[in-house]
C-alpha cells in the first residue's frame, strides 16, 4: 500500500516512479488532494481516518 497525503505534481512523479521501479509488486495507491500543505503535514491521519481519499489505479501511468 502506498499512501500519498499530498498528491501534488512532484509527489505524483515520485509515486509513479516508485510503482514503475518495482512492477512485480501489486500496488494499492491512496492519495489525498494537494491542498492545505501546512495542515496536511499535521492532520493527514485525520483525513485518512475519515475516509477522505481518492483511490488510484495500480498502473504506473496513473
Amino acid at each position: 500500500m502506498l499512501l500519498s497525503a499530498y498528491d501534488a505534481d512532484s509527489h505524483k512523479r515520485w509515486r509513479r516512479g516508485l510503482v514503475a521501479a518495482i512492477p512485480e509488486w501489486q500496488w494499492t495507491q491512496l492519495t489525498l488532494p494537494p491542498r492545505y500543505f501546512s495542515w496536511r503535514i499535521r492532520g493527514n491521519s485525520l483525513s485518512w481516518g475519515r475516509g477522505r481519499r481518492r483511490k488510484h489505479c495500480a498502473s504506473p501511468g496513473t
Side-chain angles (χ1 to χ4, degrees):
M1 177 173 285
L2 177 63
L3 302 175
S4 179
Y6 192 79
D7 206 36
D9 288 338
S10 62
H11 294 82
K12 283 181 190 177
R13 283 191 298 275
W14 170 81
R15 177 175 54 82
R16 291 172 179 165
L18 181 62
V19 170
I22 311 173
E24 62 274 8
W25 287 12
Q26 189 173 23
W27 293 92
T28 298
Q29 301 174 54
L30 301 177
T31 67
L32 292 172
R35 295 189 303 245
Y36 315 115
F37 180 78
S38 61
W39 182 88
R40 187 78 71 198
I41 289 295
R42 296 181 305 272
N44 64 37
S45 59
L46 296 173
S47 295
W48 294 120
R50 292 181 180 187
R52 292 182 184 164
R53 64 189 184 280
R54 293 180 298 167
K55 191 171 184 176
H56 285 274
C57 299
S59 66
T62 306

